[in-house]
């Protein structure tokens, strides 16, 4: 037997160890990964994202030259012009011919990046490959890319990444990893190929061939050829979490600090990635505990359409942007450049006006945290350190602005855009009111800055009975502790979850005007792993222990009675709920708890849960 030199042996052992480690890491991650796919770098990377708040989304490709029309047929306004190949069932060969003529000679990367800066945007997400399968960069994986397939012969992603670097803008890429209407193994083309697959039915061999020979190699090209990537924006996520994790692993290995959006996995499942992605033009009704981003169209399409001129006004953009920031998220505003590389003129006007408002109010936007007051009737709020920024949309006729529940002393108050204008503040019995000038100094939002004696604290919300005497407890008024979180899911909507142990508690303050017996109804969803887990609910001296019912799947919600409570006296009470034991699966996805008054006819020796208070 040939004696192998020592180094060879060591190399072999090391190689085997690496393989072993990656297997265990991935299985271990798979275990945990199925919960989040997050990496240690995520929190750090989320810092720039949380600071940035405002990004430019760019949908640009061969569909931009068609501008919503093909062969005299139009993509209906309101439908996505970038979907023209599928909307009008353009055969692959014909679409490929059309792509041959894509030649955006008026493309100017610096001009695009400067437009983003004008508006106050801090990152740019460009479609490297959309559902049509065409690569908007020089790809060696296929010749179906802008350099090899068109007369343009330039790499717009290279030029954009360099322009972003020069201007200090984060360069990010969009990649349609599941949907590809050009590749015979991609999802979605049911007019050339029978690939209109779903979550359960798909041609595994064909799809995995597409993943191995196109999607993954192209993502590798983007992660190794365009410098630091701020984030990867996946879309129409993988139905199979394992496959989604393979894309996450690729990014963690090649660019560990690159963020991954919440559409790497499918939006109807437990979300993977580093932050939650709202549905298109989605806006949560209140603050979330998990960081999120919403993609927004400037008109009603992502790709350029010559038929869609329903542009948002600068005021509408500013209001929506501030609503997103005050609810703890980022605002990713889209542009659809034309096929010649020019950006529709109207967009410059909108971005200029948005940008001048953002510039004069920048302190109240970048790096701020979520509004602590819950939704405000007159506008929005953000926080930074011991400063509160109040965005007044509806200027009070009596020039008095009420701020409910502030539990810190206001040291100073002024207009943000003219801090020489000091505002008088009265604080009594938990109420804070600010005396305003007669006319609003700014439009569509005037910003006030209040300095408090330390980071602002706010009295927790109190839920009052509705017209039918019910007390509706949901995520908007919940106070979460430990790992319990207010979350969103496209299928599951707004709910509370991520609680795995007794320290992960949720509580509500309730004000009961009508004493009596109340039925407690919990509305939640739970998968097999959570079935039978115990939770404890306490209110008005009643202590209830219940077991979780299996509801079929996460986001399949059902209402379950959890017992009765007898509230003898009107007043404020605290209702708390938490898992009884520790575990590593979520207790449930709780949508709401309702306390419903129950008509009871009293008989001798009567009592509920053996308590009466
Ligand atoms: C997808 C794409 O199909 C579309 O072309 C565009 O790129 C957009 C940003 O994303 O469309 C979606 C994705 C998700 C939802 C709706 C449309 N959603 O979650 O409701």
């Amino acid at each position: 037997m040939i004696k192998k030199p020592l180094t060879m042996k060591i190399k072999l052992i090391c190689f085997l160890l690496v393989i072993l480690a990656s297997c265990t890491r991935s299985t271990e991650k798979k275990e945990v990964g199925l919960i989040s796919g997050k990496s240690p770098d995520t929190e750090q990377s989320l810092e720039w994202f949380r600071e940035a708040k405002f990004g430019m989304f760019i949908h640009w490709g061969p569909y931009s030259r068609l501008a919503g029309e093909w062969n005299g047929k139009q993509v209906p306004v309101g439908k996505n012009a970038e979907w023209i190949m599928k909307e009008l069932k353009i055969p692959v060969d014909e679409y490929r011919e059309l792509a041959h003529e894509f030649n955006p000679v008026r493309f100017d990367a610096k001009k695009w990046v400067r437009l983003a800066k004008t508006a106050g945007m801090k990152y740019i997400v460009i479609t490297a490959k959309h559902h049509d399968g065409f690569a908007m960069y020089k790809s060696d994986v296929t010749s179906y890319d802008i350099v090899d397939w068109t007369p343009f012969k330039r790499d717009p992603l290279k030029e954009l990444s360099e322009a972003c670097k020069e201007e200090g803008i984060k360069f990010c890429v969009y990649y349609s990893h599941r949907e590809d209407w050009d590749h015979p193994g991609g999802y979605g083309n049911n007019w050339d190929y029978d690939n209109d697959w779903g979550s359960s039915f798909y041609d595994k061999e064909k799809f995995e061939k597409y993943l191995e020979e196109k999607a993954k190699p192209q993502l590798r090209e983007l992660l190794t050829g365009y410098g630091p990537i701020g984030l990867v924006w996946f879309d129409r996520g993988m139905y199979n979490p394992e496959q989604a994790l393979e894309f996450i692993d690729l990014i963690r290995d090649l660019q560990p600090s690159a963020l991954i959006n919440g559409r790497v996995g499918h939006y109807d499942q437990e979300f993977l990635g580093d932050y939650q992605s709202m549905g298109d033009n989605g806006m949560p009704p209140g603050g979330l505990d998990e960081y999120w981003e919403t993609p927004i169209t400037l008109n009603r399409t992502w790709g350029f359409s010559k038929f869609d001129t329903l542009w948002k006004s600068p005021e509408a953009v500013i209001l929506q942007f501030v609503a997103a920031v005050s609810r703890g998220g980022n605002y990713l505003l889209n542009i659809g450049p034309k096929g010649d590389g020019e950006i529709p003129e109207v967009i410059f006007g909108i971005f200029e006006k948005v940008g001048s408002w953002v510039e004069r109010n920048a302190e109240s936007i970048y790096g701020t945290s979520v509004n602590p007051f819950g939704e405000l009737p007159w506008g929005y709020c953000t926080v930074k350190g011991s400063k509160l920024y109040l965005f007044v949309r509806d200027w009070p006729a009596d020039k008095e602005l009420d701020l409910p529940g502030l539990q810190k002393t206001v040291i100073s108050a002024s207009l943000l855009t003219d801090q020489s204008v000091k505002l008088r503040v009265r604080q009594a019995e938990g109420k804070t009111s600010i005396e305003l000038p007669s006319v609003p100094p700014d439009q569509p939002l005037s910003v006030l800055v209040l300095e408090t004696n330390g980071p602002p604290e706010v009295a927790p919300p109190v839920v009052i009975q509705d017209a039918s005497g019910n007390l509706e407890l949901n995520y908007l008024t919940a106070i979460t502790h430990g790992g319990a979180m207010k979350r969103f899911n496209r299928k599951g909507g707004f709910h509370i979850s991520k609680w795995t142990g007794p320290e992960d508690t949720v509580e509500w303050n309730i004000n009961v005007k009508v004493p009596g017996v109340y039925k407690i109804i919990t509305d939640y969803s739970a998968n097999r792993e959570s079935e039978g887990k115990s939770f404890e609910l306490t209110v008005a001296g009643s202590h209830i222990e219940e077991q979780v019912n299996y509801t079929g799947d996460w986001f399949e919600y059902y209402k379950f009675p959890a017992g009765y409570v007898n509230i003898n006296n009107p007043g404020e009470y605290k209702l708390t709920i938490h898992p009884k034991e520790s575990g590593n699966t979520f207790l449930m996805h709780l949508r709401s708890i309702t306390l419903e008054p129950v008509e009871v006819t009293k008989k001798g020796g009567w009592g509920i849960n053996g308590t009466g208070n």
Side-chain angles (χ1 to χ4, degrees):
M1 184 182 74
I2 305 163
K3 270 194 61 47
K4 286 205 176 60
L6 191 56
T7 47
M8 278 302 287
K9 270 208 189 94
I10 292 166
K11 279 208 186 99
L12 189 58
I13 292 161
C14 299
F15 176 71
L16 289 173
L17 282 175
V18 169
I19 297 294
L20 193 62
S22 64
C23 298
T24 45
R25 182 166 64 75
S26 58
T27 42
E28 177 195 304
K29 207 189 235 181
K30 288 214 167 23
E31 227 31 66
V32 178
L34 271 180
I35 288 186
S36 74
K38 281 195 177 39
S39 89
D41 310 88
T42 295
E43 277 317 307
Q44 203 186 336
S45 306
L46 270 172
E47 277 327 301
W48 77 258
F49 192 65
R50 284 202 188 98
E51 172 73 24
K53 304 294 184 201
F54 198 12
M56 175 192 263
F57 208 171
I58 305 174
H59 278 71
W60 193 45
Y63 45 79
S64 309
R65 192 178 72 80
L66 302 179
E69 185 177 31
W70 172 66
N71 269 8
K73 282 185 281 180
Q74 289 179 16
V75 173
V77 168
K79 284 271 187 181
N80 298 332
E82 74 282 359
W83 275 59
I84 190 167
M85 184 180 174
K86 181 153 187 168
E87 289 294 340
L88 304 183
K89 299 210 173 324
I90 306 175
V92 164
D93 299 345
E94 282 199 52
Y95 192 88
R96 282 178 163 237
E97 279 316 308
L98 295 165
H100 269 316
E101 292 148 49
F102 182 52
N103 190 14
V105 291
R106 301 172 69 84
F107 167 68
D108 175 347
K110 287 190 170 48
K111 188 175 177 186
W112 290 20
V113 173
R114 290 214 190 96
L115 174 63
K117 285 195 89 168
T118 306
M121 295 160 160
K122 303 293 186 184
Y123 61 106
I124 286 180
V125 182
I126 170 89
T127 49
K129 189 204 76 165
H130 201 264
H131 308 331
D132 64 357
F134 185 82
M136 285 296 290
Y137 68 96
K138 169 72 184 104
S139 173
D140 298 331
V141 167
T142 167
S143 60
Y144 194 46
D145 68 82
I146 191 164
V147 176
D148 302 313
W149 198 263
T150 78
F152 187 58
K153 299 290 172 239
R154 285 163 51 195
D155 182 335
L157 259 64
K158 185 72 75 185
E159 295 173 26
L160 270 173
S161 65
E162 281 152 9
C164 282
K165 195 157 176 227
E166 280 155 29
E167 299 284 349
I169 297 278
K170 283 272 183 189
F171 177 70
C172 314
V173 292
Y174 166 110
Y175 192 85
S176 175
H177 56 336
R178 173 168 62 83
E179 204 89 10
D180 189 311
W181 306 328
D182 180 78
H183 190 286
Y187 261 76
N189 182 330
N190 61 353
W191 56 103
D192 295 290
Y193 323 120
D194 170 20
N195 290 5
D196 212 356
W197 305 322
S199 58
S200 46
F201 166 71
Y202 71 103
D203 183 318
K204 196 165 184 308
E205 197 193 331
K206 276 171 78 175
F207 184 55
E208 286 184 353
K209 187 167 181 300
Y210 151 72
L211 292 177
E212 295 311 320
E213 72 180 28
K214 183 173 185 182
K216 289 181 187 171
Q218 285 195 325
L219 186 60
R220 181 177 290 279
E221 288 176 325
L222 293 167
L223 294 166
T224 52
Y226 296 84
I229 300 288
L231 67 88
V232 179
W233 215 95
F234 291 108
D235 201 359
R236 300 180 72 75
M238 289 294 169
Y239 288 111
N240 173 336
E242 305 298 335
Q243 287 163 337
L245 276 167
E246 285 157 21
F247 282 85
I248 291 176
D249 283 352
L250 193 56
I251 297 167
R252 299 298 188 224
D253 292 348
L254 295 171
Q255 295 224 18
S257 59
L259 290 171
I260 300 170
N261 75 331
R263 290 190 189 177
V264 63
H266 198 270
Y267 10 66
D268 291 357
Q269 292 161 10
E270 188 44 44
F271 107 86
L272 294 168
D274 299 318
Y275 65 87
Q276 182 57 284
S277 297
M278 284 297 137
D280 282 17
N281 295 302
M283 181 64 75
L288 293 173
D289 291 334
E290 225 157 26
Y291 210 72
W292 58 276
E293 177 195 57
T294 186
I296 302 285
T297 52
L298 196 54
N299 51 3
R300 290 183 309 154
T301 174
W302 303 93
F304 175 68
S305 165
K306 60 187 168 205
F307 306 108
D308 190 336
T309 56
L310 281 164
W311 304 103
K312 285 183 174 70
S313 67
E315 291 72 23
V317 168
I318 292 165
L319 285 164
Q320 206 181 27
F321 173 33
V322 171
V325 172
S326 80
R327 291 169 186 168
N330 275 24
Y331 189 78
L332 184 64
L333 183 61
N334 182 74
I335 64 167
K338 297 191 277 187
D340 64 358
E342 266 305 352
I343 291 171
E345 203 45 45
V346 60
I347 293 179
F348 288 89
I350 297 169
F351 275 40
E352 252 136 48
K353 290 201 177 76
V354 168
S356 56
W357 186 92
V358 171
E359 189 174 13
R360 60 181 178 268
N361 296 290
E363 179 188 325
S364 65
I365 298 282
Y366 302 117
T368 59
S369 305
V370 68
N371 163 19
F373 291 94
E375 291 310 291
L376 294 160
W378 41 258
Y380 309 97
C381 171
T382 59
V383 176
K384 195 189 296 183
S386 59
K387 286 196 174 164
L388 275 171
Y389 300 96
L390 309 180
F391 301 79
V392 185
R393 176 195 57 232
D394 314 330
W395 203 254
D398 63 0
K399 300 189 301 173
E400 282 287 317
L401 193 75
D402 292 335
L403 201 51
L406 179 59
Q407 292 180 323
K408 279 287 175 66
T409 306
V410 176
I411 300 169
S412 70
S414 66
L415 300 177
L416 179 62
T417 49
D418 178 355
Q419 304 207 13
S420 67
V421 179
K422 299 301 178 199
L423 306 174
R424 229 143 47 83
V425 177
R426 273 196 315 288
Q427 292 191 277
E429 287 137 33
K431 284 207 174 324
T432 298
S433 60
I434 303 147
E435 197 176 311
L436 301 179
S438 43
V439 288
D442 205 341
Q443 280 302 334
L445 293 165
S446 299
V447 184
L448 318 180
V449 53
L450 272 59
E451 176 99 28
T452 52
N453 60 337
E457 280 162 24
V458 175
V462 177
V463 181
I464 56 174
Q465 292 180 269
D466 61 20
S468 52
N470 287 357
L471 287 145
E472 279 298 330
L473 317 182
N474 61 32
Y475 102 103
L476 280 173
T477 49
I479 303 140
T480 52
H481 302 283
M485 275 202 171
K486 301 176 186 181
R487 315 180 66 209
F488 162 79
N489 173 278
R490 194 180 73 125
K491 185 173 174 193
F494 300 97
H495 59 278
I496 288 163
S497 189
K498 299 206 96 166
W499 40 353
T500 55
E503 67 291 350
D504 307 331
T505 302
V506 184
E507 64 187 49
W508 284 269
N509 296 296
I510 61 175
N511 185 317
V512 176
K513 293 245 180 314
V514 187
V517 176
Y518 286 79
K519 182 179 182 180
I520 302 170
I521 301 152
T522 52
D523 176 0
Y524 65 82
S525 68
N527 69 0
R528 192 57 85 187
E529 276 108 22
S530 305
E531 184 175 21
K533 282 174 78 77
S534 299
F535 61 90
E536 294 172 326
L537 189 155
T538 308
V539 58
S542 285
H543 184 80
I544 294 168
E545 185 171 322
E546 273 291 330
Q547 279 61 48
V548 172
N549 298 289
Y550 171 51
T551 66
D553 195 355
W554 291 130
F555 313 125
E556 309 287 348
Y557 288 94
Y558 286 89
K559 293 184 184 325
F560 297 95
Y564 294 83
V565 57
N566 178 14
I567 300 178
N568 285 337
N569 305 308
E572 281 208 12
Y573 296 88
K574 194 183 285 298
L575 182 147
T576 63
I577 179 171
H578 60 78
K580 184 159 186 291
E581 295 98 21
S582 290
N584 69 1
T585 55
F586 304 154
L587 173 73
M588 59 169 80
H589 288 354
L590 178 65
R591 191 154 60 179
S592 72
I593 296 176
T594 305
L595 273 66
E596 210 174 73
V598 178
E599 284 316 306
V600 214
T601 48
K602 289 205 173 165
K603 297 190 198 63
W606 185 89
I608 291 264
N609 299 318
T611 61
N613 56 10

